[in-house]
Amino acid sequence: MATDILVIVPVEPPIAHFADSVVRQTSGGRLHMPLTQAFHEFEEYVGAALELYKPSQRPHFGGEMWPPVIGTKAADFLASRAAQPPRRTLASITLATHLERAGLRWEVVDPGMQELHYWRKRFEQARANNPTAIAICTTFIVCEPWLRALCHVIREVLPSTKIIMGGYYYAVNVKKFLALDADIFCVGEGEQRLPAIVQALKGQRSLEEIPGLYIRRPDGGTHHTGSVEQLDMNELPIVDWSLSTRVEPPIDPIATPVATWVETQRGCVFSCEFCDYRTIQTPAVMTTDRAAEAILAAGVSPRGSVRITDSTATFPHKRWEEVLQKLIERGGSKAPLWCFARVSDINERSAELMKLAGVQHMFIGQESGDQRVLTEMKKGTNVKQVRPAVAALAKHGLNATFAFIHGFPGEDDASIQATRTLIKTLNDGHEDRPVALLYLAQPLVLFDLATVSQRPEMQGVDHWMAYDNARFPPQRALAEVLQTVMEVSRIPHAPAYLLMPGTFPGYWEEYFFFSPHRYEVFRWMKALERGVAIFLERDLEGTKPNDAELARLKEQILARREAIPVWRSRAERMAARAQRLVVQRLTREWTNEGKTGPGPLTRGLMGLSVLRDTRNPQLAREALKTGVYPTLGTVNLKESELDSLAADLRDESLGVEHRRRQVAAARKAFVPASALSRRGPNGEPVTPGASDPAENDAAT
Ligand code: SF4
């Protein structure tokens, strides 16, 4: 029987970053490659491969291998298709829930990180069911060349299937989103509109009557069907996680420990300039009863966890407390909870309630340790709120990941140093049981729909990492991130770096945050991080490695590993050396690429990647010659038409009318009118977060 809709949820693999020349020249060559090089050198020193992807290389805690081996095969670049942790996205289950309710014949593929040849094979398989449409959720993609190539493969393999582009890539780059080779662009919430689009494609209704779509006309032009209203979250059905066994690859959350996700509010009333969560949606909330019900309903994986994906679960305080109280009244969540939080929302009482309700870990976007920069960002929090928040979390045994941006406009040496000092001292006083287990430090990522992109110094930038003419360009920010990694590594109880190559702690969060051995895992990760940083310090600062320190770290690392025979240690040492030399070469090529063009190794790898992705020898030859990933999967729209469509879409998310809708929605949802209608010194409307951090409290 024919399939009505094939939904795919691709997570871009590392090759997507390699295919993007801006990424290669910035975060690739100036952050990840130098760290990877130092990582391999530390492996060489230890005489053992340390990447966690391969089970045989994993440490043991409490007598068990960590992380445990569960899951499906990863993308090729991840240690030759080792098992990746089982993941199920909220997007896949939400869309499956609504397609099922609409009585449509659906297939949803949600396989985690996979490469294009995986997808090609899956599309070839789909031919047998001749899907009417294929919907791409772009939420987990930021590199456009790879996304374009994905569209190209679909056109090649399923030429008569309509392509529906959904998800949030449009927030990354509006113009590139609209230039993709798709038939329908669904901007915003898809729960009700995706089934409606499929019904329209089956001739049961008109596409024109579905708002918020950009429809490609046969002449190549694009037609917009008008703005769409935000959905009432209380009227949406609770997401049906039992459908996870019908999504590919099937994951039974009862048998397999997996993170399940739940969303109880959308949008955000704060005004952080670097953030697009607040611009792509207007605020909407579930009632607190409904929210508690949804959170408990998501707890279907007895050994898993529940992630509350609300952009700010902890705000407004009163609502959060009510949700927590309702969870507590119902016995608390059996599965540990994870949520996004602001330091301004954490105090003794909220921490206690969180503990009782089942919250174990939170992600705190602290962004800076400098008040001037926080104000510049319109973050709406105060640096002074960090220490009391950490103390409250420590008292109740809760943990957190803290995130920081380096290089927001207005940043200077002193503010970066203040941020670094904050990270280094976050866990002071909590050395035995650190609160902050991980930290993320990264340069400003300039998404189109974040208001910082409208600043004069960011005008004309068409890639999230290409603001080279800004006062604090990405190259400088990346150097500062490396400096932060080195300095934080020297403090054994400071949080571990989330993006450390090889171990990549962020990848294994489910097994880390909720493990009874999390503090032992933390110390092991810190030992590894320090080992890597010692070689980084030598490479960047010329510091001679301390032999005694290295020997101690080696002992600490190997004490958790199964002993390996001498021959294997030699082989792993040689493999580490070979990898280090390749990475060293690529680092040199990528950092010089702006001046000399792609180097020979980059061109060789590009040719191979293109051959594998496209199966087209001519394109591969061209890529081998130029080092450029081919331009695939875009349509020849008139530049003026594309500009005008992009301007409209930007205006829908950033314009005055959007702001008005947001304020009205926030007022309706949860913020007293008095807080939202407050006026600034010049009579301008002030929203929470736009000025005084104390407004957070006023707004509740
Ligand atoms: S608090 Fe700031 S960073 Fe967090 S979702 Fe809201 S606007 Fe974005």
Side-chain angles (χ1 to χ4, degrees):
M1 194 181 283
T3 296
D4 293 326
I5 173 92
L6 169 63
V7 178
I8 64 167
V9 188
V11 177
E12 67 186 3
I15 187 76
H17 295 248
F18 170 66
D20 187 322
S21 67
V22 177
V23 176
R24 281 201 305 274
Q25 292 173 54
T26 51
S27 55
R30 293 170 195 277
L31 176 63
H32 301 300
M33 283 297 164
L35 276 171
T36 306
Q37 196 179 312
F39 172 80
H40 289 312
E41 188 150 10
F42 185 54
E43 284 187 312
E44 216 179 318
Y45 171 80
V46 171
L50 297 172
E51 283 176 333
L52 288 180
Y53 302 120
K54 287 197 177 163
S56 61
Q57 297 166 186
R58 293 180 184 176
H60 289 69
F61 298 98
E64 286 173 10
M65 179 190 289
W66 186 90
V69 181
I70 306 166
T72 50
K73 295 284 184 189
D76 288 7
F77 272 56
L78 298 182
S80 311
R81 297 185 60 64
Q84 60 180 333
R87 294 202 193 287
R88 185 89 311 154
T89 60
L90 182 59
S92 69
I93 301 296
T94 302
L95 293 175
T97 301
H98 287 267
L99 293 167
E100 179 77 0
R101 286 171 67 92
L104 293 164
R105 289 181 299 269
W106 56 268
E107 294 174 57
V108 176
V109 187
D110 181 21
M113 212 181 276
Q114 298 293 349
E115 293 179 45
L116 276 186
H117 63 91
Y118 166 93
W119 287 109
R120 180 186 289 277
K121 216 164 130 198
R122 183 59 187 82
F123 301 144
E124 284 167 355
Q125 208 183 314
R127 274 193 198 131
N129 294 339
N130 190 24
T132 304
I134 178 161
I136 307 176
C137 169
T138 59
T139 299
F140 307 101
I141 298 173
V142 293
C143 293
E144 180 236 11
W146 191 83
L147 178 55
R148 277 196 275 112
L150 180 71
C151 298
H152 174 78
V153 173
I154 298 173
R155 289 288 191 223
E156 259 188 358
V157 181
L158 296 164
S160 58
T161 298
K162 295 285 184 200
I163 299 181
I164 305 166
M165 199 63 71
Y168 288 111
Y169 176 75
Y170 74 91
V172 176
N173 194 307
V174 170
K175 207 166 152 184
K176 288 177 180 169
F177 174 77
L178 289 169
L180 291 165
D181 185 5
D183 300 291
I184 298 160
F185 299 83
C186 181
V187 171
E189 299 161 317
E191 288 104 327
Q192 292 181 351
R193 288 181 304 150
L194 183 60
I197 293 168
V198 180
Q199 283 156 354
L201 292 175
K202 290 174 71 184
Q204 295 165 358
R205 59 190 293 176
S206 157
L207 264 184
E208 296 294 326
E209 71 187 28
I210 305 170
L213 304 184
Y214 290 78
I215 303 170
R216 192 134 285 151
R217 294 189 304 255
D219 67 0
T222 306
H223 165 66
H224 183 210
T225 60
S227 302
V228 62
E229 287 297 313
Q230 182 95 14
L231 296 173
D232 181 343
M233 294 188 77
N234 292 301
E235 287 178 7
L236 292 173
I238 299 271
V239 169
D240 181 0
W241 279 93
S242 72
L243 294 173
S244 177
T245 53
R246 286 174 53 197
V247 170
E248 283 179 45
I251 294 177
D252 178 358
I254 296 172
T256 306
V258 67
T260 50
W261 297 75
V262 61
E263 187 180 31
T264 79
Q265 54 172 309
R266 288 180 179 165
C268 181
V269 295
F270 292 97
S271 305
C272 311
E273 277 206 28
F274 54 84
C275 176
D276 59 4
Y277 285 21
R278 53 178 284 265
T279 56
I280 54 180
Q281 289 176 329
T282 45
V285 288
M286 282 183 183
T287 63
T288 51
D289 272 320
R290 182 93 170 146
E293 184 192 346
I295 292 168
L296 292 176
V300 292
S301 186
R303 291 176 297 140
S305 59
V306 174
R307 292 199 173 215
I308 303 170
T309 182
D310 307 9
S311 31
T312 323
T314 53
F315 186 86
H317 308 164
K318 192 155 172 281
R319 176 183 187 272
W320 181 231
E321 282 194 11
E322 270 179 39
V323 171
L324 295 171
Q325 289 284 13
K326 284 178 179 164
L327 289 172
I328 295 164
E329 281 160 22
R330 295 170 205 197
S333 171
K334 302 284 173 285
L337 303 175
W338 176 104
C339 65
F340 287 108
R342 291 164 58 91
V343 280
S344 46
D345 302 339
I346 300 168
N347 53 37
E348 179 60 33
R349 176 166 167 73
S350 66
E352 183 184 9
L353 289 176
M354 283 196 267
K355 184 68 184 177
L356 292 171
V359 176
Q360 179 54 51
H361 197 99
M362 59 207 74
F363 185 101
I364 298 174
Q366 177 54 34
E367 324 305 354
S368 177
D370 183 278
Q371 191 55 47
R372 186 181 54 77
V373 173
L374 285 178
T375 306
E376 188 78 35
M377 291 171 169
K378 299 197 175 80
K379 180 69 192 176
T381 58
N382 196 303
V383 176
K384 289 188 194 134
Q385 292 164 325
V386 176
R387 303 235 174 267
V390 170
L393 296 178
K395 183 168 175 196
H396 296 283
L398 302 178
N399 300 111
T401 297
F402 276 74
F404 298 88
I405 294 170
H406 284 12
F408 190 84
E411 187 89 86
D412 59 18
D413 289 344
S415 61
I416 285 271
Q417 199 47 53
T419 298
R420 227 168 253 148
T421 303
L422 178 62
I423 303 173
K424 289 194 286 188
T425 56
L426 265 177
N427 289 325
D428 282 6
H430 315 291
E431 287 78 2
D432 290 343
R433 296 168 72 83
V435 170
L437 295 178
L438 295 178
Y439 77 98
L440 173 64
Q442 59 178 2
L444 172 70
V445 172
L446 191 73
F447 286 169
D448 243 12
L449 293 189
T451 47
V452 63
S453 69
Q454 296 187 314
R455 289 189 175 217
E457 65 180 297
M458 302 301 185
Q459 291 309 299
V461 176
D462 81 334
H463 188 288
W464 45 274
M465 212 21 85
Y467 48 97
D468 299 17
N469 295 326
R471 269 163 292 175
F472 211 105
Q475 292 77 2
R476 183 173 166 203
L478 289 158
E480 297 290 0
V481 172
L482 284 180
Q483 184 65 33
T484 298
V485 171
M486 290 188 288
E487 290 194 23
V488 176
S489 78
R490 294 175 202 142
I491 314 291
H493 61 272
Y497 185 49
L498 188 145
L499 297 179
M500 183 56 68
T503 50
F504 199 28
Y507 198 66
W508 309 103
E509 286 182 352
E510 303 314 323
Y511 308 118
F512 180 18
F513 297 160
F514 312 114
S515 163
H517 307 293
R518 59 186 173 279
Y519 298 111
E520 293 157 80
V521 174
F522 167 82
R523 279 181 248 290
W524 188 85
M525 282 184 175
K526 282 296 290 184
L528 193 139
E529 173 183 293
R530 181 63 198 139
V532 173
I534 286 175
F535 290 105
L536 192 64
E537 285 167 356
R538 190 211 49 203
D539 293 346
L540 300 181
E541 297 178 337
T543 317
K544 189 174 176 303
N546 177 326
D547 290 340
E549 188 183 13
L550 274 174
R552 182 179 52 74
L553 294 168
K554 175 178 174 178
E555 198 186 321
Q556 213 176 327
I557 297 286
L558 292 182
R560 293 289 180 180
R561 301 253 315 226
E562 279 177 355
I564 54 172
V566 175
W567 66 264
R568 197 176 129 192
S569 172
R570 281 202 191 120
E572 291 188 358
R573 184 170 274 140
M574 278 169 62
R577 183 173 169 71
Q579 289 176 81
R580 176 167 66 82
L581 293 174
V582 170
V583 171
Q584 197 171 24
R585 176 73 195 230
L586 286 175
T587 309
R588 216 175 308 131
E589 289 190 5
W590 294 0
T591 44
N592 289 327
E593 195 172 314
K595 289 185 218 131
T596 59
L601 186 55
T602 305
R603 282 187 274 121
L605 290 172
M606 188 66 75
L608 284 174
S609 304
V610 171
L611 184 62
R612 207 177 42 159
D613 289 351
T614 65
R615 294 187 187 168
N616 183 327
Q618 201 183 329
L619 287 176
R621 264 198 303 277
E622 190 62 20
L624 184 65
K625 214 162 77 190
T626 61
V628 176
Y629 201 80
T631 305
L632 305 165
T634 42
V635 287
N636 285 329
L637 283 184
K638 271 195 229 130
E639 195 63 21
S640 56
E641 185 181 4
L642 192 54
D643 280 339
S644 134
L645 286 168
D648 281 353
L649 180 45
R650 261 189 219 108
D651 194 52
E652 261 199 71
S653 298
L654 300 175
V656 175
E657 180 55 22
H658 174 72
R659 196 67 201 134
R660 190 198 59 72
R661 275 201 310 270
Q662 273 199 315
V663 170
R667 182 173 294 148
K668 189 171 147 209
F670 43 59
V671 181
S674 57
L676 285 161
S677 59
R678 193 170 301 146
R679 299 271 145 189
N682 302 316
E684 74 281 14
V686 175
T687 50
S691 57
D692 179 6
E695 273 187 285
N696 294 345
D697 297 320
T700 59

